[in-house]
Amino acid sequence: MKKRILAFGASTSRTSINKQFARYTAGLLNEFDATVIDLNDFVMPLYSVDIEKEEGAPASAFQLKALIQQQDGLIISFAEHNGSYSAAFKNALDWLSRLEGQVWAGKPALLLSTSPGSRGGASVMAIAKARFPFNGGEVVSTFSLPAFKANFNPQTGIRDPELAQGFELAIEAFRHRILAI
């Protein structure tokens, strides 16, 4: 039986470069059964203690949690909005954190980020890398891709050889960790 990985871009934009990057990365790991999701398929009301008391957690939070628990590993590509998580990802994280157990269920993760700018989502990556273990995730490797449009081709991947080598090392570390499970 193949190991299972879940991949998604932490954005709800229809044209998200982080969705594209997560999908591309999952496609490189053919030895795994990859499920690529869209956060738009897990719509949740804006987290509120009042909503939680009155209505409980939304069904989509339970569905996303169950999907995470079924995986052997996670690939998340973080969109950077004003130096932090996108509102949609932060909202999902808030709801998931209110459910029983750790958000990431102890799963090994490859954390990615990209942006149109020269820092490649470095600010959100620093936040995610620091927070992920507190929410029950194991950060295996990380990679930030700067200047997405200049450095990425959907068919051939990362154009810059030095960046491509760093990306390959991050993927290989993740692959090795998942195969060790």
Side-chain angles (χ1 to χ4, degrees), residues 85-181:
Y85 298 130
S86 70
F89 177 80
K90 177 63 168 79
N91 190 53
L93 179 61
D94 289 344
W95 277 112
L96 290 171
S97 72
R98 301 299 294 173
L99 304 179
E100 186 177 325
Q102 292 290 305
V103 172
W104 308 116
K107 306 300 178 179
L110 168 57
L111 303 183
L112 306 170
S113 65
T114 191
S115 74
S118 63
R119 296 191 65 232
S123 295
V124 71
M125 178 59 78
I127 293 166
K129 192 174 173 182
R131 281 298 315 162
F132 210 79
F134 289 103
N135 294 110
E138 174 193 344
V139 178
V140 174
S141 54
T142 64
F143 180 80
S144 292
L145 179 64
F148 183 78
K149 290 186 191 236
N151 285 318
F152 186 79
N153 177 302
Q155 284 74 42
T156 60
I158 297 174
R159 293 180 173 121
D160 179 276
E162 189 174 321
L163 289 171
Q165 182 179 20
F167 180 59
E168 289 170 18
L169 290 171
I171 289 175
E172 190 53 38
F174 179 68
R175 175 184 282 121
H176 183 66
R177 177 67 182 97
I178 299 304
L179 290 173
I181 295 174

Side-chain angles (χ1 to χ4, degrees), residues 21-84:
F21 197 31
R23 187 178 317 107
Y24 173 79
T25 303
L28 296 175
L29 296 162
N30 295 327
E31 66 269 45
F32 304 131
D33 182 11
T35 300
V36 179
I37 63 167
D38 187 324
L39 284 183
N40 288 308
D41 295 331
F42 299 91
V43 175
M44 300 174 209
L46 187 60
Y47 177 76
S48 159
V49 172
D50 294 335
I51 291 173
E52 184 180 20
K53 279 184 191 176
E54 293 168 14
E55 302 172 22
S60 55
F62 288 102
Q63 292 164 351
L64 183 55
K65 177 72 174 176
L67 192 55
I68 291 166
Q69 290 174 329
Q70 296 166 5
Q71 308 305 311
D72 296 300
L74 307 169
I75 297 171
I76 304 172
S77 188
F78 292 96
E80 184 174 279
H81 292 192
N82 295 311
S84 190

